[in-house]
Amino acid sequence: MSRNRLFRRLLFTNIAIILLTMSILSVLFYIMFENYYFRDKEKIMVEEGKQINTVLNDYLIGDIDIDRLNQDLNVIDRLINASIWVVSTDGRIYIQSKNFEKNWTGVTLSKDDIKSILKGETIVRRGYFGGRFTQPVLTVGFPLVLAGKIQGAIFMHAPIVEMQKTLMDIFFIMLLAIAISIIIAFILISYTSKRISNPLKEMSIATEKMAKGDFSTKINVVDDDEIGDLAKSFNIMSSELGRMDNARKEFVANVSHELRSPLSTIQGYIDGVVDGTIPAEKSKFYLEIAQKETRRMSRLISELLDITKMESGAFPLNISEFDINELIRLTIIKMEARISDKDLMVKVDFESDKEIVEADKDKIEQVLTNLIDNAIKFSNPGGYIHVSTEKVKEKVHVRVQNKGKTIPPDEIDHIWDRFYKVDKARSGSPGVGLGLYIVRSIINLHNEDIWATSSDADGTTFTFTLKSKKVKQ
């Protein structure tokens, strides 16, 4: 039930908004219709009042008799559903239509009721007309003009209750429209809310599974909208986390193996020397092997510490200006023994004698050491390594190329990933897949680029860029 909270919130919120909006609109439309209806009624009554004035003029000059006058007044009375009074200048009602249960003929109105009309004004009032009616009426009063002079007043009283019935019919139709609209809105909003909430519910369930280590759950992408994009992003994240989790497990297994193997070797040789299993004359040989294994462990631990520093942001750069060509020469000299062991030829090709760059010298030396070490490792015996520098606009391109087993096209995009390893057969050593990840991280910290190409014709080439500085004369 709790997983439907978002659906219910979306549904009830939208229904509440629609209900509130329709209610406000209904009240506004009711007021608008009411004002329009009363104004229209007032206009009709004024127009008919002019007709009454004309009939009374005809009666005054003798064109019609009293019966015809009453007949015409009653017709107008029924037409506009309003009772008619003809009042003299002294306020006495001397003619009325028949739309009254009470006979008002002879009743005298107050001076306040007619004084404005005798001045030529038209009045419009709503109410009980001074308490004379038991139900509210709409009263329109205007001057009675006979022979060009104001000779009294004409009053027309229309029951407001009858008009309100018409307005209530309109209001009922509006309420019916609101009810139908809410029902339709309920269906549409329910459908839409479910389309929004269901993927989110799936993500919530999938997140709980991911928290327990299950990255196989995928969200069903239905719509091509923001929710659909979120579901796609969630699936990508799930796949990436699954890949990273597998890489982490493989990494832990590789690190455990890398640490266990030299530890076992070191322990076995030291135990052999201590307990006398290994003859004294051979102890130095085996201790040198143990020493080599400790150095390999030290390098592995250093790489892990470097990764930890880079990921925590505690890997500061000490930027300086130095000659990258000279650094390349020194790095190659340090690896001369390994190069000779594999009978490799090293070709150094510099565009200029000095190439000054702006970078962290120690970190770039680490990059060069790693790339040249890989070039030695993956070169065929008797092959060659080609290291070059070239200035391209404001950058210096450093290339390390070797001819040997190439990197498969489907793997070259992944060689920079942490924990990723190309086919173990290429190196003869399982490794842990950290070297190139550290290389790329160092180059990225310098806001520079690094890339690799590999083909049977040209071998494998790693290229990275550094910021160039002009050589001071």
Side-chain angles (χ1 to χ4, degrees):
M1 182 66 69
S2 61
R3 294 191 183 277
N4 292 321
R5 285 178 297 178
L6 178 61
F7 167 73
R8 293 199 303 272
R9 189 179 302 169
L10 288 170
L11 179 62
F12 293 145
T13 299
N14 283 282
I15 291 295
I17 291 173
I18 291 174
L19 187 59
L20 179 62
T21 303
M22 295 296 288
S23 299
I24 294 173
L25 287 175
S26 297
V27 172
L28 292 176
F29 276 122
Y30 180 81
I31 295 172
M32 182 185 71
F33 280 129
E34 183 182 41
N35 291 333
Y36 172 80
Y37 190 77
F38 276 106
R39 283 197 302 270
D40 188 61
K41 187 70 172 181
E42 292 165 8
K43 183 179 178 181
I44 293 173
M45 291 171 72
V46 170
E47 292 297 326
E48 292 302 323
K50 294 177 182 179
Q51 181 64 28
I52 294 171
N53 202 115
T54 301
V55 172
L56 288 172
N57 270 288
D58 291 342
Y59 173 72
L60 180 64
I61 62 178
D63 286 347
I64 60 174
D65 56 16
I66 188 65
D67 291 334
R68 177 63 185 274
L69 173 62
N70 289 329
Q71 182 181 354
D72 288 347
L73 290 178
N74 290 331
V75 169
I76 296 173
D77 180 323
R78 289 192 296 272
L79 178 64
I80 61 175
N81 192 28
S83 301
I84 304 168
W85 291 348
V86 181
V87 183
S88 63
T89 54
D90 59 1
R92 185 173 59 85
I93 302 172
Y94 64 90
I95 297 176
Q96 77 168 49
S97 62
K98 293 183 179 180
N99 195 14
F100 275 104
E101 295 180 0
K102 181 177 179 180
N103 186 9
W104 293 92
T105 305
V107 175
T108 301
L109 304 179
S110 67
K111 292 182 179 180
D112 292 335
D113 290 331
I114 64 172
K115 84 179 166 180
S116 297
I117 298 175
L118 295 179
K119 292 179 182 179
E121 299 178 7
T122 298
I123 65 168
V124 178
R125 296 176 185 170
R126 297 183 195 179
Y128 296 89
F129 199 65
R132 295 180 178 88
F133 298 102
T134 57
Q135 292 183 344
V137 294
L138 172 64
T139 298
V140 177
F142 47 88
L144 171 62
V145 181
L146 300 174
K149 295 181 180 180
I150 297 177
Q151 301 292 333
I154 298 174
F155 286 95
M156 290 181 289
H157 308 285
I160 289 179
V161 173
E162 296 296 328
M163 290 183 279
Q164 286 178 333
K165 286 181 180 179
T166 302
L167 290 172
M168 289 306 296
D169 290 340
I170 296 174
F171 189 66
F172 174 76
I173 293 173
M174 292 177 64
L175 289 178
L176 183 61
I178 290 174
I180 295 173
S181 298
I182 290 176
I183 293 172
I184 295 173
F186 180 85
I187 296 172
L188 295 177
I189 293 172
S190 296
Y191 174 76
T192 304
S193 298
K194 285 183 178 179
R195 294 290 288 254
I196 294 174
S197 63
N198 284 347
L200 297 178
K201 188 193 304 182
E202 289 182 29
M203 290 181 202
S204 177
I205 296 172
T207 302
E208 292 178 1
K209 292 182 178 179
M210 289 170 62
K212 298 176 182 178
D214 181 6
F215 300 99
S216 61
T217 304
K218 296 293 182 288
I219 306 301
N220 184 27
V221 179
V222 177
D223 297 318
D224 187 17
D225 54 14
E226 288 80 357
I227 297 295
D229 292 341
L230 179 61
K232 291 176 184 176
S233 299
F234 186 92
N235 290 338
I236 293 172
M237 180 190 70
S238 177
S239 298
E240 186 64 17
L241 287 175
R243 190 186 69 79
M244 291 298 294
D245 186 60
N246 291 333
R248 178 188 60 81
K249 292 175 181 177
E250 184 179 356
F251 167 73
V252 171
N254 287 335
V255 169
S256 299
H257 173 76
E258 289 291 315
L259 292 175
R260 186 184 298 113
S261 296
L263 280 174
S264 299
T265 301
I266 293 168
Q267 182 180 359
Y269 289 160
I270 292 177
D271 287 345
V273 172
V274 171
D275 62 20
T277 304
I278 296 176
E281 62 274 13
K282 292 186 177 181
S283 61
K284 181 180 178 181
F285 173 78
Y286 288 105
L287 287 176
E288 287 176 349
I289 296 176
Q291 183 185 51
K292 183 179 178 181
E293 292 299 313
T294 58
R295 288 174 178 168
R296 186 158 73 92
M297 288 178 59
S298 179
R299 286 196 303 270
L300 174 59
I301 293 171
S302 294
E303 288 181 343
L304 294 174
L305 289 175
D306 285 343
I307 289 176
T308 302
K309 289 178 181 179
M310 282 186 282
E311 292 183 343
S312 64
F315 200 71
L317 297 178
N318 183 20
I319 303 297
S320 63
E321 296 178 10
F322 60 92
D323 183 3
I324 186 65
N325 293 347
E326 181 64 22
L327 184 61
I328 291 172
R329 293 188 189 100
L330 293 174
T331 305
I332 292 174
I333 290 171
K334 290 178 184 179
M335 297 184 172
E336 188 174 358
R338 291 194 58 212
I339 294 172
S340 298
D341 289 343
K342 211 165 184 180
D343 192 24
L344 299 176
M345 180 184 72
V346 178
K347 180 181 178 183
V348 178
D349 187 8
F350 298 146
E351 188 177 56
S352 58
D353 185 53
K354 280 190 175 183
E355 200 67 76
I356 305 301
V357 296
E358 186 176 344
D360 186 318
K361 186 175 181 179
D362 292 337
K363 301 297 189 299
I364 297 304
E365 183 179 2
Q366 185 177 354
V367 170
L368 288 170
T369 300
N370 196 302
L371 294 179
I372 296 174
D373 179 74
N374 279 348
I376 296 171
K377 185 188 302 183
F378 297 126
S379 293
N380 296 324
Y384 75 91
I385 296 173
H386 184 195
V387 183
S388 64
T389 59
E390 177 187 10
K391 188 171 180 180
V392 181
K393 295 182 179 179
E394 301 300 320
K395 301 288 185 181
V396 174
H397 287 205
V398 181
R399 296 185 181 87
V400 178
Q401 180 186 14
N402 74 285
K403 192 67 179 293
K405 292 182 179 178
T406 59
I407 303 172
D410 59 337
E411 296 191 40
I412 199 163
D413 289 335
H414 299 288
I415 61 175
W416 310 106
D417 295 346
R418 184 176 57 172
F419 315 134
Y420 191 84
K421 297 181 301 177
V422 183
D423 185 4
K424 296 178 182 180
R426 296 184 69 244
S427 63
S429 172
V432 289
L434 296 177
L436 290 179
Y437 173 79
I438 294 174
V439 165
R440 187 186 64 171
S441 298
I442 291 174
I443 296 300
N444 288 345
L445 284 174
H446 285 79
N447 294 319
E448 300 294 340
D449 296 321
I450 185 167
W451 63 92
T453 59
S454 188
S455 66
D456 292 334
D458 299 323
T460 300
T461 304
F462 287 87
T463 307
F464 65 91
T465 64
L466 293 174
K467 184 177 180 182
S468 175
K469 297 292 289 187
K470 290 184 178 180
V471 179
K472 294 181 180 180
Q473 302 295 332

